[in-house]
Amino acid sequence: MDSERKPVRVVIVDDDQLVRMALRLVIDGEPDLTVVAEAADGYAAVIVVDEQRPDVVLMDVRMPGLDGLGATREILARAAPPRVLMLTTFDSDDLVLGALRAGALGFVLKDTPPQRILDAVRAVADGSPVLSPAATARVIAAATGPLSSHARDATRRAARERLSALTEREHETARAIADGLGNPEIAQRLNISVATVKAHTGSLFSKLAVQNRVQIALLVRDAEE
């Protein structure tokens, strides 16, 4: 780590005090990470984030009062918001998907080994999504299963309308992002330079009014459901 680089400032949000304590111990043991505050529910999380201006929020999904989804939406609606990494178990997949659509950069399971949680916090702090293809597939399957055909059709139409503003090459880039490819892999698939991929991705952010690649991927999947 660059010795002049400030530690990544983290807020932990979880209604279980033992979980918060365990995460703080793990995170504060790293020289490049520091926990600046904790919160036990979504309402407190919004207040703490406004006060502390952290780099990353490690957000539980299910909490009393304002849940992780609601808190994520409120936090990400702020100017220059922090990155949000969701903490979850697979019994709350529907809320996780909603949080990803709202702009969270990824999720980790609560039983994830400590080193992987640390790696996820660092990745999210750098703006990289934390989503394994297998886990993402399970989340999407669980979240979309109960939808009525009418709701599914409405979601599909809305997604396709947003994607209709894209050029053919931007469509191809969005599809590759949805397939989980990084910039070098997209460049190879489309036979273009990495710089051109970055330019197309920037256009996607602007035209689709999204904050990250996860939202692009979910929009493409919505259009294809």
Side-chain angles (χ1 to χ4, degrees):
M1 182 189 73
D2 187 341
S3 60
E4 296 184 358
R5 182 177 177 181
K6 294 181 179 179
V8 173
R9 293 163 50 83
V10 181
V11 165
I12 300 171
V13 184
D14 197 294
D15 62 336
D16 188 327
Q17 184 178 9
L18 291 178
V19 171
R20 297 199 309 272
M21 290 175 59
L23 288 170
R24 178 183 278 273
L25 284 172
V26 170
I27 293 171
D28 276 346
E30 299 297 303
D32 59 332
L33 305 173
T34 183
V35 176
V36 295
E38 300 176 14
D41 59 58
Y43 293 115
V46 174
I47 294 172
V48 164
V49 167
D50 284 343
E51 292 175 346
Q52 297 293 332
R53 308 298 297 174
D55 302 302
V56 175
V57 178
L58 198 52
M59 177 79 74
D60 188 17
V61 175
R62 291 196 183 277
M63 294 179 290
L66 184 65
D67 63 23
L69 175 55
T72 295
R73 285 174 172 163
E74 289 201 27
I75 288 170
L76 294 179
R78 302 296 204 264
R83 273 70 184 256
V84 177
L85 178 63
M86 307 302 296
L87 275 171
T88 182
T89 56
F90 274 122
D91 64 356
S92 54
D93 291 346
D94 54 336
L95 294 181
V96 173
L97 186 60
L100 295 177
R101 285 192 174 120
L105 263 182
F107 63 91
V108 292
L109 300 181
K110 288 190 176 182
D111 60 358
T112 299
Q115 186 57 52
R116 291 189 181 181
I117 292 179
L118 294 171
D119 291 343
V121 171
R122 293 184 178 105
V124 167
D126 288 335
S128 300
V130 179
L131 295 167
S132 71
T136 302
R138 286 187 62 181
V139 169
I140 292 174
T144 58
L147 286 179
S148 67
S149 59
H150 176 74
R152 188 82 50 77
D153 288 344
T155 298
R156 185 187 303 114
R157 284 195 302 270
R160 289 179 177 177
E161 182 176 352
R162 292 174 67 184
L163 292 172
S164 68
L166 305 182
T167 66
E168 180 178 356
R169 191 58 101 182
E170 288 167 349
H171 267 290
E172 293 172 342
T173 303
R175 174 69 264 172
I177 289 173
D179 288 341
L181 301 185
N183 288 345
E185 292 80 14
I186 295 174
Q188 183 175 18
R189 175 189 283 191
L190 303 184
N191 195 28
I192 57 179
S193 69
V194 171
T196 301
V197 173
K198 292 180 178 179
H200 288 323
T201 303
S203 293
L204 292 175
F205 284 3
S206 177
K207 289 184 177 182
L208 300 177
V210 297
Q211 299 179 21
N212 57 62
R213 295 163 74 101
V214 174
Q215 290 175 295
I216 294 173
L218 290 172
L219 192 59
V220 170
R221 292 178 185 274
D222 284 343
E224 296 175 350
E225 282 292 332

